[in-house]
Amino acid sequence: NAGVTQTPKFQVLKTGQSMTLQCAQDMNHEYMSWYRQDPGMGLRLIHYSVGAGITDQGEVPNGYNVSRSTTEDFPLRLLSAAPSQTSVYFCASSSSAVRPNTGELFFGEGSRLTVL
Amino acid sequence: AQTVTQSQPEMSVQEAETVTLSCTYDTSESDYYLFWYKQPPSRQMILVIRQEAYKQQNATENRFSVNFQKAAKSFSLKISDSQLGDAAMYFCAYRSAPWETSGSRLTFGEGTQLTVNP
C-alpha cells in the first residue's frame, strides 16, 4: 500500500540547473498538489490539480511548472533552479470519493532540495 | 483568502503533563475543515485530528482533543499525558469544504515546535 510516493528524497543542484520532482499516488485520487515548506512559514501551495489534464497555480508558483497527464502522476519541474528554491517539497493527494469524506490530505515523505 | 496563524513558534511540556497549542484562522466561509498535522524529525506529515466546522462537538482522538470556537475562529489542540514521542512540529491547517473550490488545497499555519522534557 504505497500511498503517495515522491522521488528523489534528497537533491543538490547548482543555480541554473533543471530538475523534476516526481510524485505518484496509487489511490486513484483526483486531487493532487505540491507544497514547499520553509522555516517559520509552514507549508505553502505551489501548484495543484483537480484531475488529469487540469492544473492551476497556488500561492507561490513562480519558477515551477507542473503537468498532469495521468491520474497517478503529478511531476513538479524546476526549469532554472535558484537558491531561493532551497526547501522541502511535499506532494499530496485527496479525493471526494473517500468515505467518510473528511477532506484529509495524504502526503508523500517530502523531498529536500538544496540549490547552491 | 483564508489565513491561519499559530502564535507560538515553540512550546515545551514535561512528560505526562498537558499542553495546549493555539491556532486562529480567518475566513468568511461557513463550511470548512480544520486539521492538526504532526511532523516528527522524519519529516512525515501525520494527521492528528480533524474538525468539521458544522459540528459543534469538539473532536477527540485518544490523548488529543481540540477546543473549536467557531465564532472566535479559534482551534486549539490539547495534548494530555504528553509522551516523548509527541515531540514534533505541529501544523494547524484549514480547508474549504466544497471539493469544487478546494480540492487538495490546504492553508497552513507557521507551525509550533513542541519539546517534551523527560
Side-chain angles (χ1 to χ4, degrees), chain A residues 42-104:
Chain A
L43 280 73
R44 293 179 293 167
L45 182 66
I46 304 171
H47 284 285
Y48 65 98
S49 170
V50 299
I54 306 171
T55 64
D56 205 346
Q57 297 181 350
E59 180 185 356
V60 288
N62 292 341
Y64 307 95
N65 282 349
V66 293
S67 61
R68 185 128 179 244
S69 57
T70 67
T71 299
E72 294 78 19
D73 300 303
F74 191 44
L76 178 71
R77 298 183 184 86
L78 286 71
L79 297 180
S80 179
S84 60
Q85 294 178 304
T86 293
S87 188
V88 177
Y89 293 84
F90 286 94
C91 180
S93 73
S94 61
S95 174
S96 60
V98 172
R99 291 294 180 269
N101 191 340
T102 61
E104 178 184 354

Side-chain angles (χ1 to χ4, degrees), chain B residues 68-86:
Chain B
F68 173 50
Q69 302 288 330
K70 190 172 184 179
K73 297 180 182 175
S74 172
F75 183 61
S76 60
L77 174 69
K78 185 171 80 171
I79 306 174
S80 304
D81 186 24
S82 297
Q83 301 176 358
L84 295 177
D86 294 334

Side-chain angles (χ1 to χ4, degrees), chain A residues 3 23 27 30-31 33 44 49 58 62 67 97 101 105 107 115:
Chain A
C23 176
M27 299 174 283
E30 67 269 41
Y31 302 104
S33 51
R44 293 179 293 167
S49 170
N62 292 341
S67 61
N101 191 340
L105 256 62
F107 286 88
V115 183

Side-chain angles (χ1 to χ4, degrees), chain B residues 10 19-21 23 29 40 44 65 70 76 85 101 110 114:
Chain B
E10 299 177 344
V19 64
T20 298
L21 308 184
C23 173
E29 299 174 332
Q44 185 180 4
S65 62
K70 190 172 184 179
S76 60
T101 57
E110 303 88 341
L114 178 66

